[in-house]
Amino acid sequence: ERLTAGLQALATKHKAIGDVRGLGAMVAIELFKAGDVHQPDADLAKAVVAEAAKRGLILLSCGVYGNVIRFLAPITIPDAIFAEAMEILEASIAAARAH
């Protein structure tokens, strides 16, 4: 629930996040160009994954169009680590969009 809520909050700040979805602990965001669901943005997904890796957060991109980033954090993740991961994710999205 924390992850979904955090990603939905990010989606309000970043138009490129067109969808937040998941089942249980496995959650994903789908990225689109300018928020247009008809234009999957695989380049942005790849850039976010690369930027996050530089900052110490390992992410997985997937999806038919390569524009989905999937999350599966352990149920026992400490609050501080979760918060740090969300901060890195937000900074990575902002940095990737700036390029």
Side-chain angles (χ1 to χ4, degrees), residues 76-96:
T76 58
I77 188 169
D79 290 340
I81 300 295
F82 178 82
E84 181 182 6
M86 293 302 291
E87 289 171 8
I88 292 170
L89 175 62
E90 183 167 14
S92 298
I93 291 170

Side-chain angles (χ1 to χ4, degrees), residues 59-83:
L59 298 175
L60 173 67
S61 64
C62 58
V64 174
Y65 303 106
N67 67 317
V68 176
I69 298 176
R70 189 172 69 188
F71 307 89
L72 183 56
I75 295 171
T76 58
I77 188 169
D79 290 340
I81 300 295
F82 178 82

Side-chain angles (χ1 to χ4, degrees), residues 17-91:
I17 301 174
D19 189 26
V20 176
R21 61 177 180 266
L23 180 62
M26 190 182 311
V27 181
I29 57 174
E30 193 164 2
L31 303 175
F32 299 96
K33 294 177 184 171
D36 180 353
V37 296
H38 301 291
Q39 296 185 57
D41 199 341
D43 292 336
L44 178 58
K46 185 184 290 187
V48 170
V49 168
E51 186 64 35
K54 287 182 199 172
R55 297 167 185 253
L57 179 63
I58 305 298
L59 298 175
L60 173 67
S61 64
C62 58
V64 174
Y65 303 106
N67 67 317
V68 176
I69 298 176
R70 189 172 69 188
F71 307 89
L72 183 56
I75 295 171
T76 58
I77 188 169
D79 290 340
I81 300 295
F82 178 82
E84 181 182 6
M86 293 302 291
E87 289 171 8
I88 292 170
L89 175 62
E90 183 167 14

Side-chain angles (χ1 to χ4, degrees), residues 1-2 5 7 26 42 53 73 80 91:
E1 292 171 355
R2 283 188 310 170
L7 294 173
M26 190 182 311

Side-chain angles (χ1 to χ4, degrees), residues 1-19:
E1 292 171 355
R2 283 188 310 170
L3 179 56
T4 301
L7 294 173
Q8 288 171 339
L10 279 179
T12 64
K13 296 177 185 177
H14 299 281
K15 246 185 156 174
I17 301 174
D19 189 26

